[in-house]
Structures are given as C-alpha cells and as structure tokens.
Amino acid sequence: MKKRGWFLLLAAVLLLAVGCGGSEKILSTEGVPQEVLQSAQYKAALGPTYYSFNLGRIHYIVLDDMIYKGSNAYDTRIDDRQMEWLRKDLAATDPAVRDVVVAMHVPTVNGLQTDGSYKKALGNFDEFYALFADYNLTVMSGHWHHAHSVRISD
C-alpha cells in the first residue's frame, strides 16, 4: 500500500476518534453529554461520521461503532442505518476491488478466550464480518490506549 493511502487512513481514523470524541466522555455545563455536542460539531464541520472512499485499488470505509446511552455508557455495534448503508456501499464498489480497509473507534475483538476463540467486542460482529466474506479485509481501530494487533484469520 502506498504511503499516501496509509496517511489518508490514519487521518480518517483520527478524525473519527477525535471528531466523535472516542469513549472519554464528560457532561457539558448545560447537562448535554459531550459526545452529542462533539458529534454535532463533527457533522457540521466535516460531514457524516461514516463514509467511504477509494484510493487506487483499495476501498476505505470509516464507521462509527459507538452507540451512546448517556452517563459515559455505550454499546459497541454498527447501528442498523450504517449496516444498510454498508451493504449498499459494498454492492456499489467496483467488483475488481478486493482489498477493503475499515476504520472504526472500538476494536471488533477484545482478545482471546480460554478456548482460543476471540472475545467479540462488536455487538453485531458476525453480521459485520459476513459482509466481507469475499474481500481481503483489514480493520483498524483505536479505543485502547496502547498498541495491539489481532489477526482473526488469513
């Protein structure tokens, strides 16, 4: 992958993590959750919190995988509206494109369980990965405050 591709992907991840505020939430002085304000500010300045673009022969997708419940509580999943958009986005992608990079804030897994399987962190993990069965998928995420790499399959 060219350096420019990695730079654009890193920029997309940082924009999503910083623009949507990640998981470090505080209440504003008006009592409105900061994540609501940050998401609105992000959308007003930059547009949607999920989008895609092509760079060369690679399709990049940025998703928002945090559903806020208030008081610093959230679910980690791709909401139904984004999943429908994602299905349409993949269907509209040039069939010759086989490499897809997805960026989102929270990782899809939390590590290994005692039986050697992965502990799923994304609420709709199976549905999400099923969409990419015919692609070479790389998922990049943040959330953890240390470097970590997980290979789910070859």
Side-chain angles (χ1 to χ4, degrees), residues 79-100:
D79 66 28
D80 294 340
R81 183 172 18 178
Q82 283 184 87
M83 288 298 289
E84 182 59 29
W85 171 86
L86 182 56
R87 284 183 199 91
K88 290 177 182 177
D89 180 72
L90 290 171
T93 301
D94 180 346
V97 172
R98 304 309 329 143
D99 295 318
V100 176

Side-chain angles (χ1 to χ4, degrees), residues 2-62:
K2 296 181 180 179
K3 288 181 183 179
R4 180 170 161 73
W6 281 110
F7 173 77
L8 287 174
L9 178 61
L10 178 59
V13 171
L14 290 174
L15 284 173
L16 182 63
V18 174
C20 295
S23 57
E24 296 73 27
K25 305 296 171 216
I26 57 171
L27 288 180
S28 70
T29 55
E30 297 86 21
V32 177
Q34 189 67 29
E35 65 268 7
V36 172
L37 296 175
Q38 289 174 333
S39 182
Q41 290 169 348
Y42 179 94
K43 289 175 185 176
L46 299 170
T49 57
Y50 56 96
Y51 53 91
S52 67
F53 59 93
N54 292 327
L55 184 62
R57 306 294 300 156
I58 301 171
H59 187 62
Y60 293 88
I61 303 169
V62 177

